[in-house]
Amino acid sequence: MALRPLNDRVIVKRLDNERTTASGIVIPESATEKPDQGEILAVGPGKKTEDGKILPLDLKVGDKVLFGKYSGQAVKIDGDELLVIREEEIFAVIE
């Protein structure tokens, strides 16, 4: 990957929401909300404490996570829209 997150940040790729309702109606992309789930593609080394120690992150590459709709900073790499998010902005890991 061309991005290496620093400190307690992770790189997340949004997972697509379902675009078809239960009754089979297809929802156009312009009418859908931003997905709030994603897959972690890269993880930073961890958060530095005041005494210089590094606390490793609880997340790992491949984890599926929940985050706020407007969390993080969006970046485009090779045509893919990715998010750079701090670990504290991630609500949960989907198991």
Side-chain angles (χ1 to χ4, degrees):
M1 163 162 272
L3 283 179
R4 181 174 53 95
L6 301 176
N7 300 326
D8 64 335
R9 291 178 175 87
V10 296
I11 307 295
V12 176
K13 182 174 184 176
R14 289 185 193 265
L15 296 176
D16 290 332
N17 283 345
E18 287 289 321
R19 294 200 179 127
T20 306
T21 64
S23 61
I25 299 172
V26 177
I27 301 170
E29 188 171 326
S30 60
T32 59
E33 294 183 7
K34 286 185 175 183
D36 54 358
Q37 298 180 23
E39 181 178 356
I40 295 183
L41 300 179
V43 177
K47 189 171 189 170
K48 285 188 181 178
T49 62
E50 290 181 13
D51 59 353
K53 293 181 182 175
I54 295 179
L55 299 174
L57 301 181
D58 292 331
L59 303 167
K60 62 186 181 303
V61 173
D63 281 349
K64 300 216 182 328
V65 295
L66 291 175
F67 50 87
K69 290 192 185 303
Y70 303 104
S71 296
Q73 176 66 43
V75 294
K76 261 199 172 190
I77 302 293
D78 298 330
D80 291 330
E81 185 174 317
L82 306 174
L83 292 172
V84 180
I85 302 178
R86 287 185 170 275
E87 181 184 34
E88 63 193 28
E89 292 183 76
I90 295 176
F91 302 139
V93 175
I94 302 168
E95 297 188 2

